Amino acid sequence: GDGESVGLALSELIADGPLPVRASLELVSYLADILTIADEDRALHGDIKPGNVRIDESGAGSIEGWGEDRRSGRAPEGPGGAAADVYGMGVVLHACLAGGGLGALGRDREDHDAAVSDRIAAIDWQELNDKRWMDEVLHFICGVMSFDPGARPVPLDVANILGQVASQAEGEDLAEWAGRGVEPLSRDEPK
């Protein structure tokens, strides 16, 4: 939406440490739903990152910064195209789960994808450790940040798969986490 952004930037929230796995997956699933709608409207963002994602105390997420002219973005191919926004979902998910940035990933496909795989493997997935399909999920998440834009899933698949995985994770969900960790807006301000 074009209204006033509510909530706090994810970049501020992760400064205190990672989000629970379930809350992280729910958030990115929710953001991928936003991307699916944007895609239908032919709207591209170009640089989805923790500083552009906001979360309010109810756990509602939003992406700000639509319609800005971008020269660069996190995706290897730059800011153009819907696949760059999918890549941004992976950047946000990693930030939620690791509590920080990805760092340098390498300039060619092999180095980049190996580095992404290492970063995803380094995350503490304890809320899902007993799931036999976890390797497939990790492979899917790595695919979201694939060097090759054509190898990345569409936003709807990101929303559906991460949403399903989140529903089977132990631990705090997004609403519980946000209710505890996000300062509410003062109630006397007009909505």
Side-chain angles (χ1 to χ4, degrees), residues 14 17-19 24 91-102 119 122-124:
I14 60 175
L19 277 67
S24 299
V91 170
V92 168
L93 181 59
H94 174 272
C96 288
L97 293 167
L102 281 159
R119 305 291 194 288
I123 289 167
D124 181 355

Side-chain angles (χ1 to χ4, degrees), residues 19-30:
L19 277 67
V21 171
R22 182 173 173 188
S24 299
L25 292 166
E26 283 182 358
L27 174 64
V28 176
S29 173
Y30 183 82

Side-chain angles (χ1 to χ4, degrees), residues 19-69:
L19 277 67
V21 171
R22 182 173 173 188
S24 299
L25 292 166
E26 283 182 358
L27 174 64
V28 176
S29 173
Y30 183 82
L31 298 176
D33 278 334
I34 295 172
L35 271 192
T36 300
I37 295 163
D39 212 21
E40 290 166 3
D41 294 341
R42 302 271 181 268
L44 298 174
H45 187 285
D47 193 23
I48 295 173
K49 58 189 177 188
N52 290 333
V53 172
R54 299 186 86 78
I55 306 171
D56 73 13
E57 73 272 17
S58 73
S62 60
I63 303 169
E64 59 181 21
W66 293 92
E68 293 176 14
D69 189 27

Side-chain angles (χ1 to χ4, degrees), residues 95-129:
C96 288
L97 293 167
L102 281 159
L105 294 175
R107 299 207 176 276
D108 66 31
R109 177 192 311 251
E110 207 170 300
D111 291 346
H112 174 281
D113 289 352
V116 165
S117 186
D118 289 348
R119 305 291 194 288
I120 297 303
I123 289 167
D124 181 355
W125 294 100
Q126 66 180 27
E127 296 174 30
L128 289 162
N129 271 348

Side-chain angles (χ1 to χ4, degrees), residues 161-187:
I161 289 173
L162 296 186
Q164 279 182 333
V165 174
S167 72
Q168 298 184 51
E170 306 291 323
E172 275 186 314
D173 68 20
L174 187 58
E176 290 167 334
W177 174 83
R180 190 175 51 73
V182 179
E183 290 299 312
L185 304 170
S186 71
R187 293 289 171 221

